[in-house]
Amino acid sequence: MVAPSLPGVSYVMPVYNEAAYIDDAIASVLAQDYGGDQELVLALGPSTDGTSERVERLAAVDGRIRIVHNPEMAIPIGLNRAILAARHEVIVRVDAHTELAPDYTAAAVATLARTGAASLGGLMVASGRSRFQSAVARAYNSRLGLGGGAYHGSAVEGPAESAYLGIMRRSSLIAVGLYDEGLRRGEDWELNFRLRSAGSVVWLDPTLRVTYWPRDRWSKLARQFVATGIWRGELVRRHGGRHPLRYFAPPALVVSSGASLIVLLLQATGVLVGPTSLILGLVHLAPVAYLLLLAGLLLAPSSGRTIADRATFALVIATMHVTWGAGFLRGVVLGARDAVDRSRIES
C-alpha cells in the first residue's frame, strides 16, 4: 500500500528592514525536515537597511523563494498578496523575527490533519541577545508581561482564541476574505475571530515552538506597544466586549494612575481635605500596588540573574503596560485612524 503524499506547503513572510534577522529566518524555513513540496513567498517592503538586496540574492539562487512586493509596508496587505500568490493549500505564516524548529512543519501538518482545524498555532518562545532584548524576551514569556495569552506559555492542547503566526488552510482563509487590510496590528486575532465565527476550529498545539526575537531598543519597544494598544482599542470598538479581560488591565492602570496624580496634586495644594480627601485618596491604591509589584521584581530570581537584569526587566514590564494601555485608550476613544508601528522604520 502506497502512503499518501504529504500536502504542499507555502510559507508566507512579510519583510521590512530586517537585515539583522532575515538570513536566519529564511534559513530556518528552508531547513525544514518535511517531505512535501515547499515554497517561501516573501512580501517584500521597500527596506532601507539592505534587507531587499539580501532577499533578492537568495531568491536568485533558490527556486523555492518567490517575492511579491508590498510597497504599502502593511503586514495584512503583504500577507494577502503572498497567500494569493501561493501554490499550495497549507499556508504557514512566518515572520522575519522568528526561527522555526526543523520539525515544525511536519508536526504542524500532522496536527492540522488530525484536528481538522482551519488555523493552528504553537508557542512563541521569545529570546534575546543583549541585556535589554533578553529582558523583553522574559517579559514576553511571562504571564505578567503580556497578560497570559495561551500561546505565550500554555501547555494545554485544544481549541484556542487565536493562533500565533498560524498554520492555515488557504481555502478557509479565502472563504472569510483573508486578512483585514484595514488593520495594521491585531490582524491575527481578528482573522481567527472571523474563522471561529464562521464555525471553523482554531487550535493550539504547544509542541509547536517558534523562536521570536523581540525589539532590541527601548524606543522601538515603546513605539511597537503604543501601536499595538491603539489597534487593540480599535478592535474593541469594532467587536465590543468580545475580548478577554486581560486586555483591559493596562488601560485601567493608566486611568487609575492619572486619577491618582490629579488627586495627589489636589491634596498637596489643600483643595481636597477631610473625608472627601480620604475617600478620593483610595484611588492611590492601584498605582501604589503596581509600584510594589515592580519593586518585588527586583527580588525575584526569575526576573534576571543580576540586579541590573532585574531592574531592566521591571522597567520593560512597566513600559509594555503603560504604552500599551495609553495606546488602547486612544484607540477606543478616537479609533486607530492611520496609526502605524514605526518601530522598524525609525532607529
Side-chain angles (χ1 to χ4, degrees):
M1 182 177 179
V2 179
S5 60
L6 292 169
V9 171
S10 295
Y11 304 90
V12 295
M13 181 192 296
V15 180
Y16 175 73
N17 276 1
E18 297 287 2
Y21 300 96
I22 189 62
D23 290 347
D24 290 339
I26 291 178
S28 79
V29 170
L30 299 181
Q32 288 296 289
D33 184 12
Y34 181 70
D37 290 337
Q38 301 172 80
E39 65 171 355
L40 170 59
V41 186
L42 299 166
L44 184 60
S47 298
T48 58
D49 67 346
T51 297
S52 297
E53 292 77 8
R54 288 172 179 262
V55 167
E56 288 165 356
R57 284 197 298 269
L58 290 170
V61 298
D62 194 320
R64 293 172 295 176
I65 301 175
R66 299 166 57 212
I67 295 173
V68 296
H69 291 283
N70 182 26
E72 297 88 351
M73 297 182 294
I75 290 175
I77 293 175
L79 286 170
N80 285 349
R81 287 180 179 153
I83 291 166
L84 291 173
R87 297 176 175 136
H88 302 302
E89 169 66 4
V90 177
I91 302 294
V92 177
R93 176 177 172 176
V94 191
D95 281 352
H97 265 251
T98 62
E99 296 174 30
L100 307 181
D103 63 346
Y104 180 84
T105 303
V109 169
T111 301
L112 201 67
R114 171 171 57 84
T115 62
S119 177
L120 162 70
L123 300 185
M124 171 199 282
V125 183
S127 186
R129 296 170 180 169
S130 65
R131 169 178 288 157
F132 177 78
Q133 192 179 44
S134 296
V136 177
R138 287 195 296 277
Y140 265 86
N141 294 334
S142 164
R143 292 182 64 85
L144 182 62
L146 291 179
Y151 62 79
H152 292 293
S154 173
V156 179
E157 181 176 7
E161 171 195 348
S162 187
Y164 174 56
L165 295 181
I167 302 93
M168 301 164 284
R169 300 180 190 273
R170 186 175 184 271
S171 56
S172 297
L173 299 182
I174 292 175
V176 297
L178 299 173
Y179 287 93
D180 185 337
E181 296 187 355
L183 297 176
R184 293 297 178 267
R185 305 290 296 180
E187 71 281 349
D188 285 333
W189 184 92
E190 196 277 339
L191 173 65
N192 284 286
F193 173 82
R194 283 186 285 121
L195 286 169
R196 288 187 287 110
S197 298
S200 296
V201 173
V202 176
W203 197 262
L204 170 69
D205 181 352
T207 65
L208 302 174
R209 302 170 68 85
V210 180
T211 298
Y212 171 77
W213 300 97
R215 301 299 188 270
D216 57 2
R217 296 184 187 178
W218 234 298
S219 58
K220 292 182 178 181
L221 180 70
R223 285 195 289 266
Q224 177 193 17
F225 271 70
V226 167
T228 303
I230 288 172
W231 283 100
R232 179 57 61 178
E234 172 68 24
L235 289 173
V236 167
R237 282 169 65 98
R238 296 186 186 194
H239 300 292
R242 288 174 284 186
H243 292 72
L245 290 176
R246 67 177 183 273
Y247 291 132
F248 299 91
L253 171 67
V254 172
V255 170
S256 64
S257 297
S260 175
L261 180 60
I262 292 171
V263 169
L264 184 63
L265 290 173
L266 293 176
Q267 289 172 328
T269 55
V271 175
L272 283 179
V273 294
T276 302
S277 177
L278 290 175
I279 293 171
L280 292 180
L282 294 174
V283 76
H284 300 317
L285 293 177
V288 168
Y290 187 73
L291 290 175
L292 291 174
L293 171 65
L294 295 179
L297 294 178
L298 298 177
L299 304 175
S302 60
S303 299
R305 290 180 297 177
T306 67
I307 190 64
D309 291 339
R310 296 172 187 177
T312 302
F313 177 72
L315 290 173
V316 162
I317 289 290
T319 299
M320 286 180 167
H321 291 167
V322 172
T323 55
W324 197 98
F328 180 95
L329 292 171
R330 175 191 153 177
V332 166
V333 174
L334 301 176
R337 300 184 180 181
D338 59 349
V340 296
D341 176 7
R342 298 189 176 276
S343 60
R344 291 190 180 95
I345 300 173
E346 302 168 4
S347 62

